[in-house]
Amino acid sequence: MASDLENKAKEAFIDDHFQLAADLYSQAIDLNPKSAELFADRAQANIKLGNLTEAVSDANKAIELDASMAKAYLRKGIACMKLEEYQTAKAALDTGISLASGDSRSRFASLIKECEDRIAEETGQLPKEELELPSNAIPMQEEPVNGLSSGTQDVAPPKPKYKHDFYQKPEEVVVTVFAKRVPADCVSVDFGEQILSVSINVPGEDAYHLQPRLFGKIVPANCKYIVLSTKVEVHLAKAEPIHWTSLEYKETAVVRRLDTSSDVAMRPTYPSSKPKKVDWDKLEAQVKKEEKDEKLDGDAALNKFFRDIYKDADEDTRRAMQKSFVESSGTVLSTNWKDVGSKKVDGSAPDGMEMKKWEY
């Protein structure tokens, strides 16, 4: 069945129906999720559609499944170059050329040379004029499949399964994906120079992907993520201390550098569409006060009372509470260490009941 879908996907690709091809590859992957070939081919379809971060994610998965597949590195390199991620692209292409053979090696070499030129331009090592192509030069084409030309079409993005948000500090951006009770082994996070890829694949559920091109560049080696019971928290180390007005890259965005010496700059900032600014520190203090003043009834109130006593008690009081409670089988709770410290605390059954010892 997976092979039939793969053949149909290739036919759709040949007919320039790239979205249909991507959908068919997705169906084939659901049936055969260990096929590196399917992920590499879907990466190419996503490149044609302009879904570049998805293409990088698919190429990464193909490399994970088969680290010797040269075309997976090629497609990652092409997608990263289109995202202007030249360092990441060059690293992928350098690995791919060592695995390639025949005419494909020249393709790798050409792309590596372009990456080196772009990196040199970014770092100011070469004047921009030296990188301009002559008027009679033929621009490099995208990787052809069976000699066919490329094409694109508009595709409506699917509704995300989980919500996400972010806040920032001068040195990092923290992205939160609100996914509850997700096993850590079902979460995959990849970092690029300006790419974040978060994938959540829980068996029996639809897969979730967050793959934005980021507002600013990051340092992948210093990035990390944590899977908690209520969320997945991703920490992105900024390459430079600028203020991110959004999580995703925008060509028209105004870049503002942060003054890291200012106390105000050290506070996390949160995105908001409201003109009125929110004092998050004040809001957090208010929530904690409400929790402390919350009125409880019955056993909940009694348990809270005992917890508060234990939390604020000194070491002797805590020892007395622990010893009396354990030795009396939960029927006595004393706070006087001098009274219970030197003797065994006997249990006291409530009226109408009697104490019994369990035999082990």
Side-chain angles (χ1 to χ4, degrees), residues 109-123:
S110 174
L111 292 173
I112 290 171
K113 177 62 168 61
E114 183 176 350
C115 285
E116 291 173 344
D117 290 344
R118 298 301 181 185
I119 292 169
E121 181 183 357
E122 286 184 347
T123 57

Side-chain angles (χ1 to χ4, degrees), residues 127-197:
K128 186 174 181 180
E129 291 77 11
E130 291 184 22
L131 299 176
E132 294 180 354
L133 293 174
S135 58
N136 60 347
I138 301 175
M140 183 187 70
Q141 300 296 321
E142 297 178 0
E143 181 193 4
V145 175
N146 294 338
L148 292 177
S149 60
S150 64
T152 60
Q153 64 186 68
D154 295 332
V155 181
K159 185 178 180 181
K161 181 178 181 181
Y162 303 116
K163 292 183 179 180
H164 70 274
D165 205 343
F166 82 99
Y167 68 90
Q168 64 184 301
K169 303 175 184 178
E171 72 281 359
E172 73 170 359
V173 173
V174 180
V175 181
T176 303
V177 179
F178 298 97
K180 293 184 178 180
R181 296 180 292 276
V182 173
D185 57 358
C186 295
V187 179
S188 175
V189 180
D190 292 312
F191 305 102
E193 291 173 75
Q194 203 170 344
I195 299 174
L196 169 65
S197 176

Side-chain angles (χ1 to χ4, degrees), residues 63 69-82 85-100 104-116 119 140 143:
I63 292 168
M69 180 181 287
K71 73 176 181 180
Y73 294 97
L74 179 63
R75 288 167 184 176
K76 179 177 180 179
I78 291 173
C80 287
M81 289 179 69
K82 289 179 178 292
E85 299 280 340
Y86 300 114
Q87 295 280 6
T88 306
K90 183 177 181 300
L93 295 168
D94 283 340
T95 303
I97 196 172
S98 65
L99 302 169
S104 63
R105 289 182 60 85
S106 60
R107 181 70 191 288
F108 275 100
S110 174
L111 292 173
I112 290 171
K113 177 62 168 61
E114 183 176 350
C115 285
E116 291 173 344
I119 292 169
M140 183 187 70
E143 181 193 4

Side-chain angles (χ1 to χ4, degrees), residues 9 16 54 58 61 65 121 166 170 175 184 230 233 283 286 295 304-305 314 320-321 328 340 345 350:
D16 289 352
E54 288 85 348
D58 281 342
K61 186 63 177 179
L65 293 170
E121 181 183 357
F166 82 99
V175 181
T230 58
E233 196 170 87
L283 183 60
Q286 181 181 347
K295 302 298 183 182
K304 183 178 184 302
F305 173 71
D314 57 27
M321 293 176 71
S328 68
V340 301
V345 180

Side-chain angles (χ1 to χ4, degrees), residues 53 56-57 60 76 80 83-89 91 189-198 210-224 234-239 244:
T53 54
V56 173
S57 179
N60 283 336
K76 179 177 180 179
C80 287
L83 289 167
E84 299 180 0
E85 299 280 340
Y86 300 114
Q87 295 280 6
T88 306
V189 180
D190 292 312
F191 305 102
E193 291 173 75
Q194 203 170 344
I195 299 174
L196 169 65
S197 176
V198 181
L210 173 64
Q211 297 162 329
R213 181 184 180 189
L214 299 172
F215 181 89
K217 291 194 174 183
I218 60 176
V219 183
N222 296 338
C223 297
K224 63 181 181 179
V234 183
H235 294 255
L236 304 174
K238 292 181 179 179
W244 290 24

Side-chain angles (χ1 to χ4, degrees), residues 41-52:
D41 288 344
R42 189 173 68 175
Q44 178 65 354
N46 277 320
I47 290 173
K48 298 293 188 181
L49 290 167
N51 301 331
L52 301 177

Side-chain angles (χ1 to χ4, degrees), residues 267-279:
R267 295 182 181 178
T269 58
Y270 301 81
S272 175
S273 59
K274 299 180 180 180
K276 182 180 178 181
K277 293 185 178 179
V278 178
D279 188 337

